Amino acid sequence: MPAGQPGVRVDRAVYRQMGREYRLNISPLTCNCMVLPDGTISQLTDVGFHLEYLAGSLSWDNIKLLKYAGQLGTPFSISLEQGTPTLFCNRQAVCPVSFLPKSDFYKQKTAAGLPFIGNAVLQGADWVAFQCLWPCQYAAAGKPCQFCFSGAEFEALAAKGKPCPDAVRPGDVADIIAYALAHDGVNSAQLTGGSTFSGKAEAGHLIAYLEAIKQRTGRMPGELLLYITPPEDPALIDTYFSLGATRIACSLEVWDEQRASVITPGKMQFTTRARHLSVLQAIAEKHGPGKAFSNLIIGLEPFETLKEGATWLAERGILPSVSVWMPMGRPVMGSMRAPEVDFFRRVKELFGQLYTKYNLEPAGGRGLNVCIERDIWRWAKGIESHQP
């Protein structure tokens, strides 16, 4: 299997035929997904449309990224076969795929007039997610994570002397979640912001969001995940849980410290590796296994250091999250080439073993963006149930 982007190329005919009745949109801002025959929901990143989006968005800096287009090849495609959307690999049919029912989510605006599109996405069947509720101060200071498209935007604005956008207002967040709960069968939400220099300032955002959600919808019926900058004051963690958070991430993304200093320079310089690990351990010790988690982005480091980091976290009751690198932001360490498929097979086996051995169950639901740990857990439990 050749190396390449873990995405697909989707024939226009699929959009024309299926987009009328199903959640399938040509805009990269809508976070499409597909359903495999066993019910697994996978994010559907159409490489072709993403390249078109890069060419037409933001600035000349993004257009220059097209020189990496040769590294963004993929053996996967979706075409119609006798009227049925079908997944192909190297032009060989793999299986039929289906899509979720059509939604009007991306046509909506909040009561204050904020468009849903560009601020939140539906992920799979159960999730509504906010990708960047407040700007990343690390990126604005010239230290963005290399893989982050939003970080590149904030860095570019700061370099031009332009202000970053204001944080999304709590009422808007509550409106979006309430709509998704009522109209799209959603039961879980993910809140993500940019990294901040001040734990108190970030806490102000998070507490306001959690209080608005609780007032508007009550406690989430499923999960409410927070992706945060690890605070200096650990008491803030208890506040977040008391207001409805079910799990909290202080994500490292890269375990290898030498690579991390290049790929995630702001986190390494301003937050430090030590504070990330200290807060993660404190959450696991006080609130229980699996309540703390950290993304490890698959494709940014060798398997050996990835294994070392995932094992270290799992041994301490911290859930290592499997986040697949989608190289559509900027090149990482001079490359936008994803690993070979066999690398992902090894990752699946490793994380399945860790989840089983340390009794770590990932967040519930189907189709949480590029994070595939729930599917790996389901696979591991299936293997386990068939053992003598």
Side-chain angles (χ1 to χ4, degrees):
M1 182 70 66
Q5 159 74 13
V8 298
R9 288 186 178 271
V10 183
D11 285 354
R12 298 293 176 107
V14 177
Y15 289 104
R16 288 194 297 270
Q17 177 169 311
M18 309 305 295
R20 293 189 294 269
E21 298 182 34
Y22 297 95
R23 212 172 82 200
L24 190 66
N25 194 300
I26 61 173
S27 171
L29 300 178
T30 59
C31 199
N32 293 326
C33 64
M34 61 181 173
V35 186
L36 303 178
D38 68 352
T40 298
I41 296 179
S42 174
Q43 184 176 7
L44 178 60
T45 299
D46 188 333
V47 177
F49 277 122
H50 271 267
L51 287 173
E52 290 180 17
Y53 181 75
L54 282 176
S57 69
L58 295 179
S59 67
W60 172 245
D61 288 337
N62 290 312
I63 296 175
K64 288 190 292 187
L65 296 181
L66 295 180
K67 71 180 183 180
Y68 294 95
Q71 296 181 0
L72 298 178
T74 173
F76 297 102
S77 61
I78 296 178
S79 301
L80 295 174
E81 188 173 64
Q82 297 181 347
T84 299
T86 302
L87 178 67
F88 290 80
C89 180
N90 291 324
R91 301 184 180 181
Q92 297 294 316
V94 176
C95 64
V97 298
S98 57
F99 307 100
L100 296 175
K102 191 173 182 63
S103 169
D104 289 328
F105 179 86
Y106 296 107
K107 298 177 182 178
Q108 306 305 313
K109 293 183 179 180
T110 67
L114 182 75
F116 284 20
I117 192 167
N119 289 289
V121 293
L122 295 176
Q123 294 183 349
D126 303 318
W127 295 86
V128 59
F130 299 83
Q131 56 266 47
C132 202
L133 286 166
W134 59 86
C136 177
Q137 293 179 329
Y138 297 176
K143 301 287 186 179
C145 295
Q146 287 190 341
F147 52 80
C148 182
F149 192 76
S150 296
E153 291 180 294
F154 297 136
E155 182 185 32
L157 286 172
K160 295 175 182 176
K162 296 182 179 180
C164 290
D166 294 332
V168 178
R169 290 170 291 192
D172 291 325
V173 172
D175 282 354
I176 292 171
I177 290 177
Y179 182 93
L181 287 169
H183 297 280
D184 291 297
V186 161
N187 59 37
S188 299
Q190 170 189 311
L191 305 185
T192 305
S195 295
T196 58
F197 294 126
S198 169
K200 289 184 178 180
E202 181 164 309
H205 293 314
L206 288 167
I207 291 170
Y209 294 140
L210 292 169
E211 289 178 338
I213 294 166
K214 190 173 183 179
Q215 181 178 6
R216 181 70 183 277
T217 68
R219 294 187 73 90
M220 293 292 296
E223 299 262 8
L224 181 52
L225 309 185
L226 303 186
Y227 284 76
I228 69 170
T229 308
E232 302 93 332
D233 180 5
L236 290 171
I237 297 295
D238 298 334
T239 300
Y240 302 151
F241 278 115
S242 72
L243 290 172
T246 59
R247 303 179 195 242
I248 294 178
C250 302
S251 287
L252 294 165
E253 272 94 31
V254 181
W255 186 258
D256 180 279
E257 292 195 52
Q258 184 174 1
R259 284 178 173 261
S261 65
V262 177
I263 299 172
T264 58
K267 289 189 174 188
M268 292 293 284
Q269 179 177 336
F270 302 126
T271 313
T272 73
R273 168 68 59 90
R275 198 206 303 174
H276 275 86
L277 297 180
S278 175
V279 172
L280 287 168
Q281 289 184 87
I283 295 170
E285 290 168 3
K286 185 169 185 177
H287 297 278
K291 291 297 184 178
F293 68 105
S294 172
N295 277 6
L296 293 172
I297 300 182
I298 310 306
L300 300 187
E301 63 184 313
F303 182 81
E304 290 70 24
T305 55
L306 175 67
K307 179 179 179 179
E308 177 186 327
T311 303
W312 192 98
L313 295 170
E315 287 174 344
R316 290 159 178 80
I318 303 162
L319 191 138
S321 172
V322 187
S323 183
V324 178
W325 176 41
M326 305 301 292
M328 287 298 178
R330 294 187 300 176
V332 173
M333 297 190 74
S335 174
M336 293 181 77
R337 187 180 299 280
E340 297 181 1
V341 171
D342 185 60
F343 188 95
F344 293 100
R345 292 195 182 102
R346 296 175 69 193
V347 168
K348 178 185 72 173
E349 293 167 359
L350 166 65
F351 281 74
Q353 292 168 2
L354 292 174
Y355 296 154
T356 300
K357 180 176 181 180
Y358 296 102
N359 196 28
L360 294 171
E361 181 176 349
R366 298 187 299 151
L368 181 57
N369 198 16
V370 294
C371 297
I372 60 174
E373 58 268 14
R374 184 70 181 186
D375 293 324
I376 292 176
W377 177 83
R378 289 174 59 230
W379 169 82
K381 297 297 287 187
I383 294 295
E384 184 181 62
S385 66
H386 288 90
Q387 290 178 345

